[in-house]
Amino acid sequence: MKKLVKGLQRFRSETFAANKELFERLSTNQSPEVLFITCSDSRIYPNLITSAEPGELFILRNAGNIVPPYGTASGGEAATIEYAVEALGVKDVIICGHTNCGAMKGLLFGKDLHESMPSVKTWLQYAETTKRLVLDKYPNETDPGTLINIAVQENVLLQLVHLQTHPAIASAISRSKISLHGWVFKIDAGDIFAFDADFGQFRPLTEHAKCASTGRLYLSEGSTL
Ligand SMILES: [Zn+2]
């Protein structure tokens, strides 16, 4: 905790002081163009990996970057999505998973979750289709790390499908007001892989600018991570 307090002091004397005008402008209004949905994992730092400034990303985080289908959950996800689209008018929604995701590990291998983490087990039911897809489609894959990273990719696609059950999202898509994107952050390389619907794969974002997808349920060409 001491480290955080010292960090706050440094932020005020250095970063805030150097960006006073930006924070003054942001104090009364925000107009982010992107809703960034990602995992709660401490290694994912949306503003750092996209070089985005304060005010540019509207961020929704939870374990496993999960979007419950509309009407199935009473958590804050639906409200956050609705507000981003209707009140803020975001133009892009990114669902960003990451390699070595603990939620995906729990989904695939957490047999004892119901005893020690019942809330996590209940939450991961919104990714149950991911588990089924991975286990049925890759029956010969035995390496746990590879299976987890396949699940990470499949889960991003599944959650993109769930996202489209939200009325505000469906309506905005139908009017070409919004684009959906599926990303995976590869932690050890610092790379973003984006789903490319033309290839049915996640590909390095730097190789192609056009990566928008309205979502699909599964990888057609397997893992690329
Ligand atoms: Zn995670």
Side-chain angles (χ1 to χ4, degrees), residues 117-131:
M117 291 187 272
S119 298
V120 172
K121 185 174 170 58
T122 301
W123 177 243
L124 290 178
Q125 287 178 356
Y126 295 113
E128 186 63 27
T129 302
T130 297
K131 180 178 181 180

Side-chain angles (χ1 to χ4, degrees), residues 39-41 64-65 98 101-103:
C39 186
S40 298
D41 193 293
N65 40 271
H98 65 96
C101 179

Side-chain angles (χ1 to χ4, degrees), residues 33-56:
E33 296 195 347
V34 176
L35 169 59
F36 198 97
I37 301 172
T38 192
C39 186
S40 298
D41 193 293
S42 65
R43 298 165 293 180
I44 312 305
Y45 192 172
N47 288 69
L48 185 70
I49 63 178
T50 60
S51 301
E53 295 201 332
E56 291 185 340

Side-chain angles (χ1 to χ4, degrees), residues 1-193:
M1 197 63 199
K2 277 183 187 169
K3 188 166 183 283
L4 292 188
V5 174
K6 275 190 179 173
L8 173 63
Q9 289 165 346
R10 197 166 69 242
F11 163 74
R12 285 192 46 75
S13 63
E14 296 174 14
T15 312
F16 183 80
N19 294 277
K20 212 163 184 309
E21 276 183 25
L22 171 65
F23 284 102
E24 271 176 10
R25 182 159 47 81
L26 290 173
S27 68
T28 54
N29 195 27
Q30 66 165 332
S31 53
E33 296 195 347
V34 176
L35 169 59
F36 198 97
I37 301 172
T38 192
C39 186
S40 298
D41 193 293
S42 65
R43 298 165 293 180
I44 312 305
Y45 192 172
N47 288 69
L48 185 70
I49 63 178
T50 60
S51 301
E53 295 201 332
E56 291 185 340
L57 300 179
F58 196 69
I59 300 175
L60 170 59
R61 305 189 76 150
N62 59 46
N65 40 271
I66 282 169
V67 178
Y70 184 75
T72 63
S74 56
E77 281 74 21
T80 303
I81 290 164
E82 202 171 83
Y83 187 81
V85 177
E86 297 294 339
L88 299 176
V90 297
K91 294 180 174 63
D92 295 278
V93 183
I94 297 162
I95 297 183
C96 183
H98 65 96
T99 51
N100 195 28
C101 179
M104 293 302 103
K105 185 178 178 184
L107 178 74
L108 294 181
F109 306 114
K111 287 194 178 74
D112 301 327
L113 282 181
H114 60 283
E115 287 177 8
S116 58
M117 291 187 272
S119 298
V120 172
K121 185 174 170 58
T122 301
W123 177 243
L124 290 178
Q125 287 178 356
Y126 295 113
E128 186 63 27
T129 302
T130 297
K131 180 178 181 180
R132 179 69 177 266
L133 281 171
V134 172
L135 297 181
D136 285 358
K137 196 173 173 195
Y138 303 90
N140 299 321
E141 181 57 63
T142 55
D143 178 57
T146 301
L147 284 170
I148 290 168
N149 286 339
I150 290 170
V152 166
Q153 295 168 87
E154 297 283 10
N155 188 55
V156 166
L157 299 181
L158 175 68
Q159 304 311 327
L160 279 170
V161 172
H162 289 175
L163 185 62
Q164 292 170 81
T165 65
H166 289 251
I169 294 285
S171 171
I173 290 173
S174 75
R175 291 176 285 120
S176 302
K177 297 284 188 191
I178 208 165
S179 297
L180 308 188
H181 311 265
W183 287 9
V184 172
F185 178 56
K186 194 172 180 187
I187 296 173
D188 61 345
D191 279 338
I192 293 284
F193 283 66

